[in-house]
Amino acid sequence: MMNLCLKRIDYMKSIKILLICFVTVATLSSASIGYCDSGFLDGFRGIQWNTAKKDLPDLDLSKKTLKNIYKKGSSAIFLTGERTNLDMHFDEVPLLSIFLRFNDSFFYGYDLVFKPQYMKKVQASVEKSMGAAGKKIDGELHWNKDGVAVILTDRELMVEKK
């Protein structure tokens, strides 16, 4: 009888350990899903460079906002937490707004606007992603890699596919 109790205690400890591991992995995974991946070379949060307006994922945009993406010429849509289902963070930095830029209805760039106090955090993330420090030009930091240009000011990160 004592052996059976000890086996049951060991079994319950194993279950608890597995449950703790599962919860830890699930928590870490879900925490990272909403934040903007710092990789710039593939586009923005699942929107590949050169994606057509009609092929955009569901961003919970109003018809009025979608009309601001023009068939011909340059256009941009302005997003805030109230206007989209996109998470308003870049890594851990809270964003004030996001601009998605289009040319002839095709996605080619984005701008992330944040408070100046977060500039160093954004810079560190960009440097990690781009693999180098930016070149200082007229008070801005610039990176170019594989046809993607990144510019960082004290309150804005601008990324575009050339």
Side-chain angles (χ1 to χ4, degrees):
M1 182 74 162
M2 185 68 153
N3 253 355
L4 185 59
C5 286
L6 289 175
K7 285 182 180 178
R8 186 173 182 163
I9 290 172
D10 286 342
Y11 178 73
M12 291 183 77
K13 282 182 184 177
S14 297
I15 294 293
K16 282 183 180 180
I17 290 170
L18 284 172
L19 186 59
I20 289 169
C21 290
F22 175 78
V23 168
T24 302
V25 168
T27 301
L28 291 174
S29 296
S30 66
S32 65
I33 288 172
Y35 293 122
C36 176
D37 179 10
S38 300
F40 303 108
L41 302 181
D42 295 327
F44 179 68
R45 297 188 186 180
I47 305 172
Q48 299 295 313
W49 296 124
N50 213 31
T51 296
K53 171 184 172 178
K54 66 180 180 64
D55 296 327
L56 288 172
D58 179 20
L59 302 174
D60 197 29
L61 303 175
S62 69
K63 289 181 181 181
K64 183 177 177 181
T65 300
L66 286 171
K67 284 182 182 180
N68 289 332
I69 303 172
Y70 307 134
K71 272 188 175 179
K72 295 290 180 192
S74 295
S75 57
I77 54 175
F78 169 72
L79 306 174
T80 62
E82 297 82 33
R83 298 181 72 170
T84 182
N85 59 10
L86 285 175
D87 184 61
M88 297 301 290
H89 289 86
F90 173 76
D91 290 338
E92 296 177 4
V93 173
L95 299 173
L96 300 172
S97 61
I98 298 171
F99 291 85
L100 298 180
R101 292 187 277 141
F102 298 83
N103 191 43
D104 295 339
S105 294
F106 290 92
F107 174 66
Y108 80 93
Y110 59 93
D111 303 343
L112 307 178
V113 181
F114 52 87
K115 291 183 179 178
Q117 68 203 47
Y118 296 109
M119 190 270 193
K120 291 293 182 191
K121 282 186 176 185
V122 173
Q123 179 181 348
S125 183
V126 175
E127 287 175 348
K128 181 179 177 186
S129 181
M130 299 300 276
K135 293 180 183 177
K136 196 152 196 156
I137 303 172
D138 296 329
E140 302 171 336
L141 291 171
H142 292 246
W143 292 264
N144 283 291
K145 185 175 183 180
D146 297 337
V148 176
V150 178
I151 299 172
L152 177 63
T153 71
D154 67 334
R155 64 188 71 225
E156 189 172 13
L157 178 67
M158 298 167 276
V159 181
E160 69 178 44
K161 179 70 173 176
K162 298 287 182 173

